[in-house]
């Protein structure tokens, strides 16, 4: 059984988080000053109220207490095929993703559909810091301090009808700016879906930041899904549309390769990917490999959702 091998990142090459933040802050401030000088009278758009609340978001009791993956690793080792297929492509090409202004469409089987500015979607008093394990289907993992709010709170505001059985998510489609979408890697735009009970579970998060700051572009700015008991490809990035419907959707990777990527995508060390084992994983920033946990360690919270299901068949 073939296994992917990734180069190890020496500890000496990892930028300390305070230095990383200071450097990014300096670059942002310098860029803003340059624009203001070059364009007299230009007023920079003020940050939205929710952005100022990110660093003050309370810690959630649903968080893990495991050591965090460094900010440098989280923002430089990504899968975001809209920006390219290599792990560094998202950070290298993050500037291509335009996130301001941003609207989110909520439609389908809801009583209150519409298209909304992101500032009307995010309520600062609902934000929490959630430290979750992230397990990629490629057998690597991270521990990430997201900031966001429960998806169920957004759905409840829009009043799902009795016919709402599934929630479908769609990412931005902008091939003029996003270089990865100029290739037929998948059938763009990227789509994912959850069963309604999965979407309404308290662990299911809409994340808008990490490490107390707005979500970096390469990590799915400005708003993404995080479903910690599923493989990372279910946690769709840069969401522009949420649709509730009665029929089960077909997600993007499932449509392309259904024998490799199932609809449920629950982390399961007992069900291998056709090309590699899922029994162990490589935690980014750590030496060696560790055992993979059923449902990525969230078995107690979510196992009841799948009672009576054959998890080898419904993978």
């Amino acid at each position: 059984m073939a296994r992917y091998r990734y180069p190890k990142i020496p500890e000496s090459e990892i930028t300390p988080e305070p230095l990383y933040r200071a450097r990014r802050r300096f670059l942002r401030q310098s860029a803003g000053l340059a624009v203001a000088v070059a364009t007299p009278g230009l007023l920079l758009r003020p940050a939205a109220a929710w952005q100022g609340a990110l660093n003050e978001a309370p810690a959630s009791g649903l968080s893990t207490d495991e050591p965090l993956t460094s900010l440098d690793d989280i923002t430089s080792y990504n899968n975001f095929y809209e920006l390219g297929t290599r792990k560094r492509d998202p950070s290298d090409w993050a500037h291509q993703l335009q996130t301001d202004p941003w609207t989110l469409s909520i439609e389908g089987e809801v009583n209150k559909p519409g298209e909304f500015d992101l500032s009307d979607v995010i309520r600062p008093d609902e934000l929490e810091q959630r430290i979750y394990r992230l397990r990629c289907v490629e057998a690597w993992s991270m521990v990430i301090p997201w900031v966001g709010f429960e998806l169920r709170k957004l759905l409840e505001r829009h009043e799902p009808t009795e016919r709402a059985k599934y929630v479908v998510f769609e990412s931005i489609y902008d091939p003029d700016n996003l270089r990865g979408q100029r290739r037929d890697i998948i059938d763009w735009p990227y789509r994912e879906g959850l069963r309604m009970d999965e979407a309404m579970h308290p662990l299911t998060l809409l994340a808008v930041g990490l490490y107390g700051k707005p979500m970096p572009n390469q990590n799915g700015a400005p708003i993404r899904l995080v479903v910690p008991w599923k493989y990372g490809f279910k946690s769709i990035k840069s969401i522009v549309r949420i649709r509730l419907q009665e029929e089960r959707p077909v997600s993007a990777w499932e449509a392309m390769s259904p024998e490799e990527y199932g609809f449920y995508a629950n982390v399961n060390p007992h069900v291998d990917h056709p090309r590699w084992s899922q029994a162990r994983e490589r935690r980014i920033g750590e030496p060696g490999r560790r055992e993979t946990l059923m449902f990525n360690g969230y078995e107690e919270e979510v196992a009841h959702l799948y009672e009576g299901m054959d998890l080898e068949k419904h993978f």
Side-chain angles (χ1 to χ4, degrees):
M1 183 175 296
R3 295 176 183 265
Y4 285 1
R5 296 182 180 275
Y6 300 107
K8 294 182 178 179
I9 302 173
E11 189 70 25
S12 61
E13 294 184 10
I14 297 176
T15 304
E17 181 191 339
L19 178 59
Y20 177 89
R21 289 185 173 182
R23 184 175 63 197
R24 291 294 295 272
R25 184 165 56 250
F26 173 78
L27 291 174
R28 286 196 301 267
Q29 292 171 344
S30 298
L33 179 61
V35 171
V37 170
T39 313
L42 177 65
L43 295 177
L44 299 180
R45 183 172 179 173
W50 63 267
Q51 292 178 319
L54 290 172
N55 196 45
E56 304 300 324
S60 169
L62 298 175
S63 296
T64 179
D65 58 0
E66 296 177 54
L68 302 181
T69 302
S70 74
L71 180 63
D72 191 61
D73 281 340
I74 293 171
T75 55
S76 65
Y77 193 88
N78 307 102
N79 287 325
F80 196 1
Y81 283 7
E82 284 83 345
L83 296 171
T85 57
R86 298 177 304 172
K87 290 295 185 287
R88 290 205 63 94
D89 279 346
S91 58
D92 288 345
W93 299 98
H95 61 280
Q96 292 185 330
L97 177 62
Q98 305 301 311
T99 62
D100 188 13
W102 194 274
T103 58
L104 182 64
S105 175
I106 301 174
E107 57 192 49
E109 295 294 344
V110 291
N111 290 322
K112 296 180 178 179
E115 187 171 355
F116 305 91
D117 185 84
L118 195 61
S119 294
D120 297 323
V121 172
I122 302 170
R123 297 181 176 179
D125 62 328
E126 292 181 346
L127 294 174
E128 293 182 306
Q129 179 177 258
R130 297 276 185 95
I131 301 175
Y132 281 165
R133 290 176 290 271
L134 172 70
R135 172 61 154 81
C136 182
V137 72
E138 298 170 338
W140 55 266
S141 63
M142 296 183 177
V143 178
I144 301 178
W146 306 107
V147 181
F149 60 100
E150 293 180 16
L151 170 62
R152 69 180 176 91
K153 293 183 177 180
L154 178 64
L155 298 182
E156 287 171 351
R157 280 183 235 155
H158 295 275
E159 300 179 1
T161 73
E162 293 183 355
R163 293 185 296 274
K165 307 299 181 185
Y166 294 90
V167 184
V168 186
F169 306 87
E170 187 175 301
S171 284
I172 185 175
Y173 180 63
D174 185 14
D176 288 341
N177 289 309
L178 303 181
R179 62 195 300 271
Q181 290 185 331
R182 298 169 201 158
R183 300 172 55 194
D184 294 331
I185 304 168
I186 61 172
D187 183 16
W188 305 110
Y190 195 90
R191 297 173 305 281
E192 262 304 341
L194 295 173
R195 218 168 53 187
M196 197 67 187
D197 57 349
E198 297 175 319
M200 299 296 282
H201 193 280
L203 285 175
T204 305
L205 195 70
L206 285 173
V208 295
L210 59 83
Y211 267 113
K213 299 295 183 182
M215 187 71 67
N217 282 11
Q218 58 265 44
N219 293 94
I223 186 167
R224 63 169 289 168
L225 184 69
V226 180
V227 192
W229 71 91
K230 295 179 179 289
Y231 291 118
F233 68 86
K234 292 294 287 188
S235 294
I236 185 172
K237 302 177 178 73
S238 301
I239 301 170
V240 297
R241 182 171 289 106
I242 297 176
R243 179 178 179 82
L244 281 69
Q245 62 187 49
E246 190 169 9
E247 304 80 18
R248 185 180 84 78
V250 177
S251 55
W253 281 108
E254 180 190 12
M256 189 186 77
S257 186
E259 71 282 358
E260 295 188 348
Y261 306 102
F263 174 77
Y264 286 96
N266 291 321
V267 176
N268 190 341
H270 310 298
V271 177
D272 290 340
H273 187 280
R275 289 181 280 133
W276 58 81
S277 170
Q278 295 288 19
R280 296 173 65 80
E281 66 197 60
R282 182 173 64 90
R283 178 67 54 84
I284 301 299
E286 293 182 356
R289 301 176 77 85
R290 59 169 62 206
E291 300 292 324
T292 288
L293 302 175
M294 187 66 194
F295 294 112
N296 201 27
Y298 299 95
E299 184 172 9
E300 183 176 346
E301 293 86 354
V302 303
H304 68 278
L305 299 177
Y306 310 101
E307 288 180 358
M309 291 180 59
D310 183 343
L311 298 184
E312 292 191 16
K313 179 180 179 181
H314 300 286
F315 61 92

